[in-house]
Amino acid sequence: MAFDMGSYTHGVLKMGFSKILFIGLFLVSSVLGGDQVSKRKETKPCSFTAIYNFGDSGSDTGATTAVFGSFPPPYGETFFHKPAGRASDGRLVIDFIAELLGLPYLDAYLNSLATNYRHGANFAVGGATIRRQNSSIVSRFGISPFSLDIEITQFDNFKSRTYDLYKQANTLERRGLPVPTEFSEALYRIDIGNNDLYVGSQTLSLQQLREELPDMVNQLASAVEHLYQQGGRAFWIQSGSPLGCSPVNKILNPNIPPGFLDKNGCVKGINDVVTEYNRQLKDRLIKLRAELQEAAITYVDQYSPVYPLVTNAKNEGFPNANIICCGYFENNARVPCGAKAIINGSEVYGASCANPSLHLSWDGVHATEAANKWVANHVLNGSASDPPIPITQACHRYN
């Protein structure tokens, strides 16, 4: 059976490229000045009452399945033992954040049944982008029509409705609603942009994509400003990942010329653009700290820690780092995770591997729970952040 690129991108790839390589993060030590270390020791942990998350498939906990239909088994098999609205075999980094902060897992805003928003809501949708994409891009790449500005509008509606319903509800009914006065005490996390970068690399020249970066950065910064005006004060903003190292590059382009790859087998041109995007994003967030006098804005560098793991994965506990765990990818045949197809007259099932914890890539686009956990353990401590503070202290402003 010939590989149908369209069906594949509308299957696995529509979940998004946000954690597209999900190779895990390599711990990078941060050298802090004595005064800053002293401040961190004296600073008390934040008492976050809620998390409001914005992003794509890297942190989507049910929006994609609410809108487009459920992920099939074996998604969710490791932790939830069934599909749980996540593009992985188990938990995502956002789930580990909730655990660390002592909060429940986030329900998706678009999920209408059995939801509880007392401690936050998740507006992330698989395939989401910072900027709105035209219909041809949405169709060709399976990109979500829910861009960041739409997620922000959904938050505005959510907050407005919360105030109205809270006034009308009795004590029992209020248990599933946020306390209106606590919106300013929540953590606002934004992890989006990789879909813009990857799709841009497939539809534009690299120079054209570079010219689009300032607009991407400005639109993300505008989202932060808007959330600040709505009462948000603590922001945890993720950078772009080294997309050129994603397994999906070799799935979709098995004959990449060697000259386009770096010494670790990553597509250099894409990674160079991501690096430039991250530089511009960091600079803009630093300026935003000065403009928003009461905001605590943390920039989280996902690129610098992730990239070294390309050559160090086995030493970090992932001996099958170069093998996609779920799906069938052999002899130019491609069967996405959980799907079935007829190949050479026989039915082939995109099954999962025997031990996902030994793999970094779950389905070629998204990470295994083991990789997500490794990321959480090595990033939430602040070692890849600016300022270099753990997420438990992200409510404190550092100049």
Side-chain angles (χ1 to χ4, degrees):
M1 184 187 80
F3 173 38
D4 183 346
M5 180 73 73
S7 65
Y8 186 72
T9 55
H10 281 277
V12 177
L13 298 187
K14 79 174 182 180
M15 299 177 233
F17 288 90
S18 79
K19 298 301 176 194
I20 199 169
L21 57 128
F22 274 119
I23 307 173
L25 289 178
F26 183 77
L27 176 60
V28 174
S29 298
S30 296
V31 180
L32 303 176
D35 291 342
Q36 206 163 9
V37 171
S38 176
K39 283 183 179 181
R40 286 183 59 182
K41 288 181 178 179
E42 297 172 358
T43 302
K44 295 181 180 179
C46 306
S47 297
F48 289 119
T49 56
I51 304 169
Y52 293 101
N53 186 74
F54 306 84
D56 46 41
S57 61
S59 57
D60 180 356
T61 57
T64 295
T65 58
V67 176
F68 300 108
S70 298
F71 295 133
Y75 281 90
E77 66 177 9
T78 295
F79 183 79
F80 302 100
H81 308 298
K82 62 180 181 179
R86 292 156 173 80
S88 179
D89 61 310
R91 290 165 291 181
L92 311 177
V93 172
I94 187 64
D95 296 313
F96 292 111
I97 291 175
E99 290 180 4
L100 181 63
L101 299 181
L103 298 173
Y105 298 142
L106 292 183
D107 282 327
Y109 168 76
L110 294 177
N111 200 351
S112 60
L113 298 175
T115 52
N116 188 318
Y117 301 117
R118 172 63 187 85
H119 296 287
N122 194 352
F123 299 89
V125 183
T129 53
I130 294 175
R131 306 192 305 172
R132 294 192 183 189
Q133 305 294 315
N134 63 46
S135 59
S136 64
I137 295 296
V138 171
S139 175
R140 178 181 171 189
F141 291 94
I143 291 299
S144 169
F146 296 91
S147 51
L148 180 58
D149 64 315
I150 294 176
E151 293 183 16
I152 297 297
T153 297
Q154 291 173 338
F155 170 79
D156 290 345
N157 293 335
F158 175 85
K159 184 183 177 186
S160 176
R161 288 288 290 154
T162 293
Y163 274 81
D164 292 339
L165 293 173
Y166 201 84
K167 293 176 183 178
Q168 303 168 15
N170 58 39
T171 302
L172 181 61
E173 293 170 334
R174 287 179 176 179
R175 291 181 181 178
L177 296 173
V179 177
T181 57
E182 293 182 353
F183 278 98
S184 61
E185 300 172 7
L187 175 69
Y188 291 79
R189 178 178 183 263
I190 301 178
D191 185 8
I192 196 170
N194 281 326
N195 288 326
D196 302 75
L197 293 167
Y198 190 86
V199 171
S201 73
Q202 302 300 302
T203 58
L204 304 171
S205 70
L206 293 179
Q207 180 56 39
Q208 289 173 325
L209 181 55
R210 286 177 181 273
E211 294 170 0
E212 300 295 321
L213 299 182
D215 187 52
M216 287 177 56
V217 169
N218 286 334
Q219 289 201 33
L220 194 151
S222 294
V224 175
E225 290 177 297
H226 183 88
L227 292 172
Y228 179 82
Q229 293 165 359
Q230 289 293 314
R233 291 297 179 265
F235 299 92
W236 187 263
I237 312 297
Q238 307 279 145
S239 76
S241 299
L243 305 179
C245 302
S246 170
V248 79
N249 289 310
K250 293 182 179 179
I251 294 175
L252 300 181
N253 303 288
N255 298 313
I256 299 175
F260 287 83
L261 304 176
D262 65 16
K263 63 181 181 180
N264 294 315
C266 300
V267 182
K268 187 177 184 300
I270 300 175
N271 281 350
D272 288 345
V273 173
V274 177
T275 299
E276 175 60 20
Y277 166 76
N278 290 344
R279 184 192 68 78
Q280 294 186 25
L281 176 62
K282 181 179 179 180
D283 289 348
R284 183 67 186 92
L285 293 179
I286 290 174
K287 293 179 181 178
L288 207 55
R289 287 184 202 141
E291 297 167 6
L292 307 180
Q293 293 295 315
E294 297 180 11
I297 301 174
T298 305
Y299 166 81
V300 184
D301 179 5
Q302 295 186 111
Y303 188 102
S304 298
V306 168
Y307 184 81
L309 198 58
V310 173
T311 58
N312 201 49
K314 290 184 179 180
N315 292 333
E316 293 297 324
F318 298 97
N320 296 332
N322 295 322
I323 302 174
I324 297 169
C325 176
C326 188
Y328 181 87
F329 308 100
E330 298 179 13
N331 302 319
N332 295 321
R334 307 290 183 259
V335 182
C337 180
K340 295 180 181 179
I342 302 299
I343 298 176
N344 297 327
S346 300
E347 184 177 79
V348 175
Y349 174 59
S352 65
C353 57
N355 191 348
S357 67
L358 303 180
H359 298 249
L360 292 168
S361 178
W362 167 244
D363 58 13
V365 176
H366 307 95
T368 60
E369 178 183 277
N372 287 326
K373 185 175 183 179
W374 201 98
V375 170
N377 288 340
H378 292 80
V379 174
L380 302 184
N381 60 11
S383 62
S385 302
D386 183 305
I389 58 172
I391 197 169
T392 53
Q393 296 181 8
C395 65
H396 302 293
R397 180 181 172 89
Y398 291 84
N399 294 322

